[in-house]
Amino acid sequence: MSGALEELYSSLKGQFRGKLLRSQDSGYADARKIWNALVARRPGLIAQCSGVADVQAAVRAASAQGILTALRCGGHSLAGFSTCEGGLVIDLSRMRQVSVDPARRRARFSGGCLLSTVDSATQAAGLAFPAGVVSHTGAAGLALGGGTGWLSRMHGLSCDNVEGFTLVVADGSLVHASADENPDLFWALRGGGGNFGVVTEFEVKLYPITSVLLATAVYCVDDIPGILRSWRDFMPESPDNLRWVFSLTTAPQSEHLPAQVRGRPAASGSMLWVGGLEAGRRAVDQILSIGHPLGITKTELSFLELQTMADHEFPHGRRYYTKSGYFRTLTDASIHSMVEALAAIPSPANQIELAYLGGAVGRVSAAETAFGDRSAPFIVNLLANWENAEEDAANLSWVRNLFQVLRPGMAPGVHVNFMSGDEDDRVPETYRHRWERLLAVKSHYDPGNFFRLNQNIRARSAAPSGEHPRNECTPPAP
Ligand SMILES: Cc1cc2nc3c(=O)[nH]c(=O)nc-3n(C[C@H](O)[C@H](O)[C@H](O)COP(=O)(O)OP(=O)(O)OC[C@H]3O[C@@H](n4cnc5c(N)ncnc54)[C@H](O)[C@@H]3O)c2cc1C
């Protein structure tokens, strides 16, 4: 541990109520790991905070000594921002309280909650918070970046449903942001990521949902262009209750699929209906009459089953790399390029995820939150997911090459939640006409850019990036 870290440890240990882990301490080996094994770092100190006072103490001490600091909620930053080499990790995993007010359909949850923590507490009251699709993701990181998921079209992004934030800012003070209190900060926190401080509590809106209708189908490779063209034309007119998404990937070895499709490139479609079941069955039957769907399933699921059904596809400890973008519409040429890339997929778990937002997300005006573009409703995520370091180069290249091909057809911008650690140049593009306002908020609350392990909005007054080590999370160049 460096001298500065020793000093930090000594200054914290008398007052800290959570756990401080140095590399020699038991528990450190597990605590240092994050979800994405592509980013393996050894922080000098991990401060597992037990409450707001611990967070304040850690921020004050690290900021005073200029120690590189990462924030961690669920540890799912695809970019690997929730760890760092030799610095401090402020780990919020001991701060997982949720309180639900069923009558007001509101909840408060702490800054270390996972989606599963929030879902199990809110579902006990028959309510749901619109968030992501994998329950071991951190609710804080996801909501601060925007947050898309099964309920987005019905109820908006996660950040659209936050009514208040309590956070520890760079000088260690506790600040509240809502529509009435520090409204600029409130605006910035809804989409601006972890740039402004450590959020210790979120106050959010909930909706009554306990069960949903889900249909799934697989389309063989020859059927992909046709079904994607139909999807592209169908979605803009479809009701908010419907979310229809695709994953272009390798078909599973399932006995419900014809043998010639198993293990081959395919599109897996999921159609979710939230609302009355009769109307839902009609909508999914209409969709299933298009193209040549195989291995069809139609199930009424509990909301908790829905929220956990993809958990096993994205386990901790594999290697992941992603690039993402928006399309105003999906051209035939883009569809062709995706299908071509599928033929050269280096890992069977790699996916091209396609979603259509619109609905409630599209009805929030561009100026209302800091979140990136709402006008281009098609989202594509290129996600590589593999096991061994020897396969890094092939998987990184697969994502980067396909992204290069698709990029000219994309609208500017990207959802920060799906960015990698080597995309600094895309951050201003993400926020575009919101950039100057974000810079002003950042410069007010974090003038020294203490919170810089994120998709960074560098305060005007901060040291030039060359003098200010930040992004050791960059994955290897091709
Ligand atoms: C398996 C998987 C599934 C995903 N599914 C979705 C999805 O459906 N929808 C979607 O929108 N995104 C999704 N994402 C992306 C995800 O939202 C982002 O990676 C997000 O940053 C993860 O949050 P986290 O708290 O788990 O991550 P961490 O790695 O813990 O945190 C990421 C960053 O968020 C900030 N942060 C975290 N907690 C706080 C806090 N309390 N206060 C201030 N800043 C904080 C910090 O800048 C930190 O670097 C998914 C990611 C994975 C790995």
Side-chain angles (χ1 to χ4, degrees):
M1 198 157 64
S2 72
L5 255 295
E6 287 286 1
E7 222 175 286
L8 178 72
Y9 176 74
S10 310
S11 73
L12 285 178
K13 82 172 182 239
Q15 52 176 318
F16 204 78
R17 296 183 48 196
K19 204 161 186 184
L20 294 170
L21 293 171
R22 298 159 300 171
S23 59
Q24 65 270 34
D25 294 328
S26 80
Y28 173 90
D30 279 340
R32 91 179 168 87
K33 287 186 199 146
I34 60 168
W35 171 81
N36 187 354
L38 186 64
V39 186
R41 305 286 172 199
R42 295 188 66 81
L45 184 64
I46 301 172
Q48 296 182 327
C49 303
S50 71
V52 174
D54 281 354
V55 177
Q56 288 182 292
V59 168
R60 280 198 184 110
S63 150
Q65 293 179 45
I67 288 172
L68 181 70
T69 299
L71 307 185
R72 185 180 309 165
C73 167
H76 277 42
S77 158
L78 288 147
F81 286 135
S82 36
T83 186
C84 57
E85 195 66 46
L88 170 71
V89 172
I90 296 181
D91 177 344
L92 304 171
S93 58
R94 292 173 167 234
M95 294 171 59
R96 291 196 173 151
Q97 293 78 29
V98 185
S99 67
V100 180
D101 180 342
R104 289 181 57 244
R105 293 184 182 164
R106 295 292 187 275
R108 290 170 182 268
F109 64 81
S110 331
C113 283
L114 303 182
L115 299 191
S116 58
T117 340
V118 177
D119 286 340
S120 37
T122 54
Q123 278 293 283
L127 297 168
F129 172 59
V133 301
V134 173
S135 79
H136 45 76
T137 313
L142 180 134
L144 288 164
T148 53
W150 290 116
L151 302 183
S152 306
R153 284 176 48 77
M154 276 292 274
H155 299 301
L157 300 170
S158 304
C159 71
D160 298 337
N161 288 289
V162 183
E163 295 182 320
F165 300 87
T166 305
L167 67 160
V168 175
V169 294
D171 66 4
S173 56
L174 199 62
V175 174
H176 189 255
S178 67
D180 304 323
E181 222 177 329
N182 302 306
D184 265 4
L185 181 59
F186 179 57
W187 169 83
L189 285 163
R190 287 174 297 153
N195 270 286
F196 308 98
V198 186
V199 178
T200 53
E201 189 174 82
F202 294 77
E203 299 148 42
V204 300
K205 282 196 246 178
L206 306 175
Y207 299 89
I209 293 166
T210 48
S211 65
V212 294
L213 178 69
L214 181 78
T216 62
V218 172
Y219 301 84
C220 74
V221 70
D222 294 339
D223 216 13
I224 296 178
I227 193 69
L228 289 186
R229 283 197 295 268
S230 302
W231 173 69
R232 167 188 75 194
D233 299 338
F234 185 94
M235 283 314 292
E237 302 305 323
S238 66
D240 294 357
N241 312 64
L242 179 74
R243 185 167 159 96
W244 181 11
V245 295
F246 282 96
S247 162
L248 312 190
T249 183
T250 311
Q253 296 290 350
S254 159
E255 61 189 27
H256 302 295
L257 292 175
Q260 66 274 23
V261 177
R262 297 179 206 160
R264 305 259 308 128
S268 166
S270 303
M271 298 124 239
L272 180 83
W273 183 267
V274 184
L277 287 181
E278 268 310 297
R281 284 196 195 98
R282 280 196 301 276
V284 299
D285 286 344
Q286 186 191 352
I287 290 172
L288 290 168
S289 69
I290 307 169
H292 305 98
L294 304 165
I296 294 172
T297 67
K298 272 189 254 176
T299 331
E300 198 186 325
L301 292 177
S302 73
F303 184 71
L304 285 179
E305 284 171 304
L306 175 78
Q307 287 297 99
T308 49
M309 71 181 187
D311 285 5
H312 66 282
E313 288 180 44
F314 305 99
H316 293 77
R318 282 175 66 86
R319 306 170 84 80
Y320 298 92
Y321 182 70
T322 188
K323 278 193 185 290
S324 179
Y326 301 117
F327 290 101
R328 292 200 198 292
T329 189
L330 201 54
T331 62
D332 292 356
S334 299
I335 293 174
H336 175 76
S337 304
M338 291 181 208
V339 175
E340 245 184 14
L342 268 191
I345 212 163
S347 157
N350 289 6
Q351 301 187 25
I352 302 170
E353 296 175 332
L354 286 163
Y356 183 90
L357 279 180
V361 179
R363 288 192 291 274
V364 175
S365 81
E368 205 167 309
T369 66
F371 178 75
D373 202 337
R374 293 170 187 265
S375 66
F378 292 91
I379 295 195
V380 62
N381 289 330
L382 314 179
L383 178 68
N385 166 349
W386 70 103
E387 183 81 48
N388 300 311
E390 307 83 70
E391 296 152 22
D392 286 359
N395 282 285
L396 295 179
S397 299
W398 183 77
V399 171
R400 286 173 173 152
N401 292 342
L402 179 55
F403 181 73
Q404 278 312 114
V405 173
L406 296 176
R407 176 83 152 140
M410 287 177 175
V414 53
H415 180 185
V416 288
N417 282 0
F418 294 105
M419 289 173 79
S420 282
D422 55 357
E423 299 194 288
D424 270 10
D425 56 322
R426 293 184 79 199
V427 182
E429 168 199 320
T430 299
Y431 296 111
R432 287 189 294 157
H433 44 274
R434 291 171 287 278
W435 183 243
E436 287 300 317
R437 187 172 173 195
L438 277 167
L439 276 181
V441 179
K442 175 76 174 181
S443 302
H444 181 75
Y445 288 98
D446 184 16
N449 203 16
F450 173 68
F451 298 108
R452 60 185 182 271
L453 288 177
N454 44 44
Q455 299 301 350
N456 196 224
I457 299 158
R458 195 160 57 82
R460 292 194 184 98
S461 47
S465 48
E467 291 167 30
H468 220 166
R470 186 182 85 78
N471 193 359
E472 327 81 336
C473 302
T474 306

